[in-house]
Structure formats: structure tokens, C-alpha cells
């Protein structure tokens, strides 16, 4: 049955994804079930998305209630869920206003457009540039691809929109040299997730903040993957001694329902006027109800505390595995660094052991389990990875 599905997929889908040979039909907490009833411990969560667990009852109930009550009206009208979500997110982030998008790329598009408007109003039409970092990832739309510091991915779709450039991560001198009168914003991830789960140093990030202040350019944090509790803080910059002017969210915000957000300081958000930016689906009542339920789950179950405790536990257990030479990352966004370049093979072997992880680098295995993972489940995950490594 599942083999038939693979052949149908190969015949009818654009072949942009090299999928693992498994068909999932159901999820429950940290567990996923395939069509044959086999159970898998999900330590990837659809790439840091399903943070409060598969089939989360609170999220499911909120979505079911909202979808039958009121699914969509457009942003021509008011809905309470969107306003409440904006109130809660801005309060948690220490920012003032929100614009809701549909995913990470469209949240970043909103941030780029906001930065361009802000630059234009502040310094005129030649202030539009966004400087990001090498090995970054900001999305797959043309503009967010232009901001993504991966030349191999960019070259395939040339010409990309102008106004983007990248400098080496961690090199303050290079950033200092690149920031000029054309610069509107600097865009960073605090942990370069797709870049191999590489955390940027705290003192570097603080120095970037200082540089942005001195040169009067915006600091935008792409918190699409590292935000929403993943690092053990609500947002990944918290605890690192600096604050952004603009931040973007998506992945875990709706626990699998598509929602993104761009948050900004009030003075910056004011650069958008009526009609400057819009989306049909963004901030709809169903996805906002899902996100509100996610916030309730994180708060009421102290999932930030659990993320920190399970992070320490997992990092220690992973570091002790034979074939692992180190662990990097923050919170529950971790990479086990292998002694050999065999991550793709280990991912396949882990699947056979009933464990979902991914090869974020040829020598690095990414783990991003649900924030709800228990100590016992974390041990089980490491046991399964150990068997895969053998
Ligand atoms: C996944 C990701 C994006 C893109 O999000 P999509 O929802 O796939 O558009 C942007 N930035 C970061 C840091 C991401 O991890």
C-alpha cells in the first residue's frame, strides 16, 4: 500500500523533496505512527514545528471549535483572536506591534519590506539594503533567498532581487565594513539552524546590536526556527543580553498550522501605513486560536523549564555516544557532531530504529524534539540513536 503511494508521488509531485521512505498516518505526543502501525519517536517535529506535541488536545480543541465557528473573514474586518495573539506575543517579546504572515518566508518578507520603508522614510530611497550572514537561512521566496547566505541555492534562480548582501558570521570587522548609508537592516539568526545548528556567540550578537545602534540601522532577528520556546526562552535572543528592533516567528507558532509573524518596536512598525502590506490568510482566526493554545500550553506546563532541563540531559547523553565528537546548539535545537561524515546513513538507520532526526550537515545530526519530551523519552531517543550509530 505504502509502496504504491511512493510510486504515485513520484508520478504526480514535482520532485523537489527527497523523502524518507515512510508514510505517516497519525501522531500522539512525541510519537508518530506509520501506515503499518510502527511507532517512531519524533526528534525533528517537522523541523521544529510540532513543539507542544502531535495531536495536542488543547490545540486540536481550539482549532476544531474555531473552524466551525468562524474560519475566515479577511483583514478587512476585526477578529478578536488576532488582536489577542498580537497582545500576548508583543508582551512576551518586549516589542510593540505585530503583522501576521503565513509562514517563515512571508514573515521575513514582511520584515524586509518594513526595513525598506523605514530606511526610505529615515534616509531616503537609496537606503534599502539588508545585510545578512553567510550560512544563514531565511526562506525560499526570491527576496528571502537573496537574504539566505547559501550561494549554491541562490545561483539556481538568478537574477535575485537586489539590495541584499552577506558577510561572514562572527566577523564583526566584515559587518562594520559592509554597513553603509544604503543599509537599512542587519538580519541574523541567533542559532544558524539550517546552517548546521551553529549558535552565534553572545558577545558577537551584542556587538552587532551596538554596531546597529551606532550606525542607526535596524537589527532583525529571524526567530522562525529558534523562537517560541525552542531555546528554553520564549524567544532566542532572551538571555543573550540584547534586543532586536524586529523579529520574525513561524515554525512552532501554530504547532503545525501555517502562521508566521513579524514583530517590531513601535517606532519601526510605524513605517507601515494603511495599504503598505497585506495578506489574504495571515492572522486568520483558526491559526490564531492554534497559536493562543500553543502559548497556553507552554505557559501552563512550564515547557520553557522542561526545554532547558531536557537540553542539558540530551546534550550530556549525546556527547557520551560512541562515534559522537561533540554537541552544539541551544535548548532543544541540538546537533550531534559525528566523528565521520555519515550523517545521511545514520538518519536512515535511525528511521529503521524508530527515531526521526535529520542530517543537517554531512557530519551533523539535528535533534529538535517536542518541548514536551520527558526525561524517559529523551533517554529512549538517545538509546535509539546509539543503536543507529552501531
Ligand atoms: C524554516 C525557516 C524559514 C522559512 O520558513 P518557511 O515557513 O519554510 O517559509 C526562515 N528562517 C528560518 C531561520 C527557518 O528555519
Amino acid at each position: 500500500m505504502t509502496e504504491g503511494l511512493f510510486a504515485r508521488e513520484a508520478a504526480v509531485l514535482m520532485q523537489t523533496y527527497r523523502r524518507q521512505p515512510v508514510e505517516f498516518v497519525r501522531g500522539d505526543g512525541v510519537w508518530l505512527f506509520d501506515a503499518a502501525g510502527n511507532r517512531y519517536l519524533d526528534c525533528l517535529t517537522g523541523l521544529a514545528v510540532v513543539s507542544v506535541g502531535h495531536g495536542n488536545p488543547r490545540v486540536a480543541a481550539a482549532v476544531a471549535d474555531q473552524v466551525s465557528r468562524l474560519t475566515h473573514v479577511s483583514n478587512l474586518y476585526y477578529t478578536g483572536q488576532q488582536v489577542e495573539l498580537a497582545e500576548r506575543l508583543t508582551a512576551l517579546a518586549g516589542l510593540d506591534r505585530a503583522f501576521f504572515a503565513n509562514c517563515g518566508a512571508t514573515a521575513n518578507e514582511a520584515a524586509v519590506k518594513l526595513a525598506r520603508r523605514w530606511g526610505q522614510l529615515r534616509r531616503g530611497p537609496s537606503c534599502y539594503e539588508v545585510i545578512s550572514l553567510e550560512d544563514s537561512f531565511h526562506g525560499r521566496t526570491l527576496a528571502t533567498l537573496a537574504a539566505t547566505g547559501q550561494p549554491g541555492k541562490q545561483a539556481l534562480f538568478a537574477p535575485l532581487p537586489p539590495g541584499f548582501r552577506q558577510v561572514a558570521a562572527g566577523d564583526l570587522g566584515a559587518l562594520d565594513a559592509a554597513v553603509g548609508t544604503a543599509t537599512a537592516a542587519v538580519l541574523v539568526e541567533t542559532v544558524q539552524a539550517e546552517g548546521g545548528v551553529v549558535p552565534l556567540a553572545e558577545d558577537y550578537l551584542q556587538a552587532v546590536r551596538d554596531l546597529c545602534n551606532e550606525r542607526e540601522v535596524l537589527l532583525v532577528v529571524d526567530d522562525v526556527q529558534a523562537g517560541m520556546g525552542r531555546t528554553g526562552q520564549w524567544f532566542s535572543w532572551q538571555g543573550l543580553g540584547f534586543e532586536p528592533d524586529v523579529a520574525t516567528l513561524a515554525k512552532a507558532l501554530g504547532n503545525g498550522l501555517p502562521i508566521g509573524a513579524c514583530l517590531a518596536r513601535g517606532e519601526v512598525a510605524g513605517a507601515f501605513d494603511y495599504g503598505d502590506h497585506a495578506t489574504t490568510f495571515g492572522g486568520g482566526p483558526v491559526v490564531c486560536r492554534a497559536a493562543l493554545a500553543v502559548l497556553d500550553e507552554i505557559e501552563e506546563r512550564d515547557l520553557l523549564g522542561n526545554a532547558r532541563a531536557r537540553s542539558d540531559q540530551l546534550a550530556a547523553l549525546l556527547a557520551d555516544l560512541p562515534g559522537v565528537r561533540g554537541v552544539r546548539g541551544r535548548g532543544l535545537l541540538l546537533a550531534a557532531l559525528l566523528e565521520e561524515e555519515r550523517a545521511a546513513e545514520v538518519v536512515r538507520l535511525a528511521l529503521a530504529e524508530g527515531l526521526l532526526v535529520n542530517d543537517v550537515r554531512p557530519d551533523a545530526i539535528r535533534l529538535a524534539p517536542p518541548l514536551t519530551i520527558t526525561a524517559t523519552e529523551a533517554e529512549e531517543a538517545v538509546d535509539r540513536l546509539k543503536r543507529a550509530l552501531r
Side-chain angles (χ1 to χ4, degrees):
M1 199 172 93
T2 286
E3 282 69 30
L5 186 71
F6 299 167
R8 282 163 55 208
E9 191 271 358
V12 78
L13 270 297
M14 293 193 194
Q15 294 294 290
T16 56
Y17 303 108
R18 208 185 287 282
R19 301 176 203 266
Q20 296 291 331
V22 59
E23 176 198 2
F24 289 117
V25 295
R26 190 169 71 82
D28 182 11
V30 299
W31 299 99
L32 281 171
F33 298 85
D34 70 13
N38 299 306
R39 196 167 84 129
Y40 301 78
L41 215 172
D42 187 3
C43 280
L44 199 57
T45 52
L47 289 165
V49 167
V50 191
S51 280
V52 299
H54 293 284
N56 182 288
R58 192 197 299 253
V59 176
V63 169
D65 176 66
Q66 190 60 49
V67 82
S68 53
R69 192 181 293 272
L70 181 70
T71 305
H72 179 82
V73 292
S74 99
N75 285 303
L76 292 175
Y77 309 101
Y78 291 86
T79 50
Q81 297 80 9
Q82 183 179 132
V83 176
E84 188 183 343
L85 182 59
E87 286 170 346
R88 289 183 63 181
L89 287 175
T90 53
L92 292 168
L95 292 164
D96 301 308
R97 290 179 187 274
F99 177 90
F100 289 107
N102 304 293
C103 63
T106 52
N108 284 334
E109 288 272 348
V112 168
K113 288 177 76 173
L114 182 64
R116 284 194 177 188
R117 279 301 292 143
W118 180 87
Q120 275 180 0
L121 292 169
R122 187 110 175 166
R123 282 202 289 276
S126 60
C127 177
Y128 53 80
E129 196 173 56
V130 172
I131 301 177
S132 54
L133 303 180
E134 289 170 10
D135 294 322
S136 60
F137 182 80
H138 299 295
R140 299 287 197 150
T141 62
L142 289 171
T144 58
L145 184 58
T148 289
Q150 299 186 31
K153 288 197 171 97
Q154 293 177 332
L156 299 173
F157 300 99
L160 294 177
F164 297 89
R165 63 199 283 198
Q166 283 87 51
V167 298
D171 184 343
L172 198 64
L175 184 63
D176 184 73
V179 172
T181 53
T183 310
V186 173
L187 169 63
V188 300
E189 301 158 90
T190 63
V191 181
Q192 295 193 305
E194 298 309 306
V197 190
V198 181
L200 299 187
E202 219 173 307
D203 58 354
Y204 169 72
L205 289 166
Q206 290 168 3
V208 171
R209 174 71 274 182
D210 292 343
L211 181 72
C212 289
N213 287 348
E214 279 159 29
R215 311 290 274 278
E216 293 189 40
V217 305
L218 300 178
L219 176 56
V220 183
V221 169
D222 178 342
D223 228 25
V224 166
Q225 187 158 165
M228 292 302 295
R230 180 87 2 224
T231 63
Q233 304 284 339
W234 278 106
F235 303 105
S236 75
W237 67 83
Q238 293 172 334
L240 299 182
F242 79 99
E243 281 171 8
D245 301 300
V246 179
T248 54
L249 306 173
K251 289 195 163 84
L253 182 53
N255 205 48
L257 272 84
I259 176 171
C262 174
L263 309 178
R265 284 199 297 112
E267 180 222 334
V268 179
F272 271 162
D273 203 347
Y274 296 112
D276 284 353
H277 196 41
T279 154
T280 298
F281 294 120
V286 176
V287 292
C288 287
R289 276 291 292 280
L292 287 167
V294 168
L295 296 180
D296 288 341
E297 281 285 278
I298 296 176
E299 246 163 41
E300 289 177 24
R301 297 171 65 182
D302 185 25
L303 296 182
L304 302 182
N306 191 58
R308 291 193 291 267
R310 300 289 76 76
S311 174
D312 292 346
Q313 179 196 1
L314 274 171
L317 291 172
L318 290 168
D320 270 352
L321 286 181
V324 171
R325 64 179 166 81
V327 178
R328 70 182 172 218
R330 284 199 180 105
L332 287 178
L333 183 54
L334 294 171
L337 309 177
L338 306 182
E339 279 159 9
E340 293 166 66
E341 295 205 341
R342 55 184 292 249
E345 181 202 347
V346 171
V347 166
R348 278 194 302 277
L349 295 166
L351 183 70
E353 296 290 344
L355 175 71
L356 302 185
V357 289
N358 99 314
D359 48 323
V360 70
R361 276 284 177 271
D363 65 344
I365 304 278
R366 167 168 41 187
L367 292 95
L371 308 183
T372 57
I373 192 170
T374 64
T376 315
E377 289 162 346
E379 271 170 36
E380 177 73 35
V382 177
D383 279 347
R384 289 176 186 222
L385 186 60
K386 187 177 183 176
R387 292 202 290 273
L389 283 162
R390 267 209 296 266

